[in-house]
């Protein structure tokens, strides 16, 4: 994972907008967020997370290569989940990371479905590895700088978001020798909620016009209540479906790693599922909602803290603009 060093507390936000630490904590569970400086873009944070991932794989003896440069050359694919690409539309942020890593043999692509991008990205990478015997390794990065597309005068949205990146290295192994990996993924969408989380300006529907006086900041507009209700519903249903269809009992699960959007969403889903809240990992208090990055950041924290043991069964679950949702069942 990589997060910017600048940490903005709720109290600091309350100096510029009409809000309070008490309101933000009680409605979202957020205590702070990390905000990138003006010279940092998605590929910079994504690259930092990627470099740390390659270094960790070498340090842990998970790969035979001895240097990140050597390891980067073995990558067949780089997938970047992000909605805050360095450049509008193209080039893909994954191409910028590919160049900086020197991963000359890797294909590169972005997945742009807001907060569900990492879950979709993981399944895309796994499927592309399986699809060709010659592909063996993929790097999946989730990175977002939502601070760049946030209206900092809108207290209903700006308190929610933070910047960050996380990454994982996937390697294809023979199923018989290592009974692990991504066992099952559920992906879904409900386009009828397209307007609930939206960046209205700048696309082919509402392009910026020549000579236009830009009064409106290109910022996230959100129907918070509608997204909240959708989130509780799909998180509950996705976890229930994975457990039922894969025949998994509560005792089999080591952890559930949810997208960190609002602690209350997770608590409501836990209650509906009758799953103890403690089974859900939450770090939203420190990072707020980092969109595509929230799940890989959580995975890295858990991994480095020794809380993920080989063989552990975990579920990742999330939702985002679109509206989209999904979940991965993973044998660590
Ligand atoms: O990945 C991105 C996905 N987005 C989300 O996950 C967002 C999902 N939605 C939510 O998390 C919640 O709907 C929010 C946290 C955004 C809002 O919580 P809420 O309990 O739904 O509050 P609300 O919008 O119903 O507003 C309640 C009150 C309003 O005041 P009145 O009308 O009752 O007087 C708001 O104006 O709280 C007020 N309010 C605030 N007060 C202080 C809204 N934002 C703030 C704020 N500080 N930051």
């Amino acid at each position: 994972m990589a997060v910017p060093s600048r940490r903005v507390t709720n109290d600091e936000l309350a100096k510029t907008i009409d809000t309070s630490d008490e309101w933000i904590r009680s409605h979202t569970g957020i205590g702070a967020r990390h905000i990138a400086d003006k010279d940092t873009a998605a590929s910079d944070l994504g690259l930092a997370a990627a470099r740390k991932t390659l270094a960790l794989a070498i340090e842990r003896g998970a790969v035979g290569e001895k240097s990140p440069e050597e390891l980067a050359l073995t990558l067949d694919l780089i997938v970047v989940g992000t909605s805050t690409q360095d450049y509008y539309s193209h080039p893909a942020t994954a191409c910028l990371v590919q160049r900086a890593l020197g991963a000359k043999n890797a294909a590169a692509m972005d997945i742009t479905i807001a907060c569900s991008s990492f879950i979709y990205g993981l399944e895309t990478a796994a499927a592309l590895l399986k699809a060709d015997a010659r592909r063996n390794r993929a790097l999946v990065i989730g990175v977002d700088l939502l601070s760049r597309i946030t209206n900092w005068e809108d207290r209903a949205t700006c308190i929610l978001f933070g910047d960050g990146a996380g990454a994982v290295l996937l390697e294809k192994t023979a199923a018989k020798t290592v009974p692990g990996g991504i066992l099952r993924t559920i992906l879904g969408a409900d386009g009828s909620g397209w307007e609930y989380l939206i960046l209205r300006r700048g696309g082919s529907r509402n392009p910026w016009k020549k000579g236009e006086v830009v009064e409106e900041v290109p910022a996230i507009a959100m129907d918070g209540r509608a997204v909240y209700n959708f989130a509780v519903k799909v998180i509950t249903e996705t976890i229930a479906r994975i457990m039922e269809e894969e025949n998994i009992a509560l005792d089999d699960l080591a952890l559930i790693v949810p997208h960190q959007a609002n602690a209350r969403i997770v608590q409501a889903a836990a209650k509906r599922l009758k799953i103890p809240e403690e089974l859900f990992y939450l770090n939203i208090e420190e990072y707020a909602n980092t969109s595509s990055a929230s799940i890989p950041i959580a995975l890295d924290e858990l991994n480095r803290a020794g809380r993920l043991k080989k063989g552990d069964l975990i579920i990742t679950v999330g939702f985002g603009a679109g509206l989209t949702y999904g979940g991965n069942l993973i044998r660590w």
Side-chain angles (χ1 to χ4, degrees), residues 165-216:
V168 297
L169 179 64
L170 293 186
E171 183 175 53
K172 187 162 66 182
T173 47
K176 280 187 192 129
T177 54
V178 185
I182 299 160
L183 306 180
R184 172 80 198 282
T185 293
I186 287 178
L187 302 176
D190 178 1
S192 70
W194 65 279
E195 239 182 332
Y196 294 155
L197 256 172
I198 190 165
L199 206 69
R200 289 187 191 280
R201 295 302 312 271
S204 59
R205 176 75 58 194
N206 299 304
W208 301 111
K209 295 180 190 73
K210 191 175 175 198
E212 180 179 4
V213 179
V214 179
E215 286 168 352
E216 198 186 335

Side-chain angles (χ1 to χ4, degrees), residues 113-117 120 187-191 230 234 318-326:
I113 37 162
C115 306
S116 305
S117 296
Y120 269 63
L187 302 176
D190 178 1
F230 173 81
V234 294
F319 64 93
L323 298 169
T324 54
Y325 62 93

Side-chain angles (χ1 to χ4, degrees), residues 19 23 27-28 115 155 222 224-225 227-228 259 261-262 289:
T19 189
W23 194 96
H27 284 73
T28 67
C115 306
R155 69 175 183 173
M222 179 179 78
R225 225 348 98 176
V227 176
Y228 184 100
H259 167 49
N262 184 333
N289 178 350

Side-chain angles (χ1 to χ4, degrees), residues 223-281:
D223 180 334
R225 225 348 98 176
V227 176
Y228 184 100
N229 293 337
F230 173 81
V232 174
K233 180 173 173 288
V234 294
I235 287 180
T236 307
E237 286 173 1
T238 303
I239 295 171
R241 258 187 76 193
I242 291 179
M243 292 180 69
E244 201 181 304
E245 292 172 10
E246 299 302 313
N247 210 5
I248 289 161
L250 199 52
D251 287 349
D252 300 332
L253 273 183
L255 266 178
I256 298 174
V257 183
H259 167 49
Q260 313 280 318
N262 184 333
R264 283 173 58 196
I265 291 174
V266 173
Q267 285 151 2
K271 201 170 161 196
R272 282 194 195 178
L273 287 158
K274 299 194 176 57
I275 293 179
E277 264 177 48
E278 303 73 58
L279 204 63
F280 290 81
Y281 182 69

